[in-house]
Amino acid sequence: MKKIDFTHFMMFTDISHTKKRVVNIRFQLADDIYSHGSGIAFHALALKIYNSVGEVELTAEEVQLLQAYVESMGTPVMIDSLADVLNTQE
């Protein structure tokens, strides 16, 4: 289980990963997954992110699904930022 606050998400602002800023990615990420994901699991994940308030607890399966989506459809900064958020919890 991982907890992620999509309303206060730490996003890298440079390629050297020395600077970050807090961004609210909840609506955009949920919309992207809803629009481009395929299947009921992506539908459920999009709604879970969209309806979240503060930190949301994701199962291991949901984390894998989110990582797979971001790695295939996300920008490089989103890929690195999500990896950083997930790695800081280990």
Side-chain angles (χ1 to χ4, degrees), residues 41-81:
F42 277 116
H43 185 270
L45 179 61
L47 288 175
K48 188 170 190 174
I49 292 169
Y50 178 78
N51 291 317
S52 67
V53 177
E55 281 189 330
V56 61
E57 192 168 77
L58 301 177
T59 65
E61 293 81 15
E62 290 169 329
V63 170
Q64 287 178 329
L65 198 61
L66 178 60
Q67 285 179 301
Y69 177 81
V70 168
E71 287 172 5
S72 67
M73 301 294 286
T75 61
V77 69
M78 183 61 193
I79 294 166
D80 289 349
S81 297

Side-chain angles (χ1 to χ4, degrees), residues 2 4 63 66-67 81-90:
K2 300 280 186 177
I4 300 175
V63 170
L66 178 60
Q67 285 179 301
S81 297
L82 177 62
D84 185 60
V85 167
L86 293 174
N87 289 335
T88 58
Q89 293 185 26
E90 293 178 356

